Amino acid sequence: MTNWWPPLTLVGSWLALLALLALTVTLAYLPLGSFSSPVAIVIAAIKAAIVAAFFMELRDRGARLLIFAGAGLFWLGILLWLGLMDFMTRTPT
């Protein structure tokens, strides 16, 4: 049986994700007021970038795959925007 060790980049990105998780949990208990949502969104975006770059291996791929990944994010943004507009244009009853 051979011993297999994960690459150091995967271990480092996993540790970075754990550190960002700890930061998220810590900031959840701090009274940041109106800054809590933007800070949480920035941390979530950093986590998503780490997952896309290292675990999905997008940093080692060609331009075509990056374009399609960006198109998927653009489409997700359109869907979230349309869902938000449906919620924002409803009148309270």
Side-chain angles (χ1 to χ4, degrees), residues 6-70:
L8 290 178
T9 56
L10 292 180
V11 173
S13 60
W14 179 66
L15 291 174
L17 287 172
L18 284 178
L20 288 170
L21 174 66
L23 182 64
T24 303
V25 171
T26 303
L27 290 177
Y29 290 104
L30 294 178
L32 297 178
S34 63
F35 291 113
S36 62
S37 292
V39 169
I41 289 173
V42 167
I43 293 173
I46 293 170
K47 288 179 190 177
I50 290 173
V51 168
F54 296 106
F55 290 106
M56 295 173 62
E57 298 178 356
L58 288 181
R59 64 186 168 97
D60 296 331
R61 302 298 178 197
R64 185 183 305 160
L65 187 65
L66 293 177
I67 289 171
F68 279 104

Side-chain angles (χ1 to χ4, degrees), residues 71-84:
L73 286 175
F74 180 72
W75 182 248
L76 178 65
I78 289 174
L79 291 175
L80 291 175
W81 180 260
L82 290 173
L84 180 65

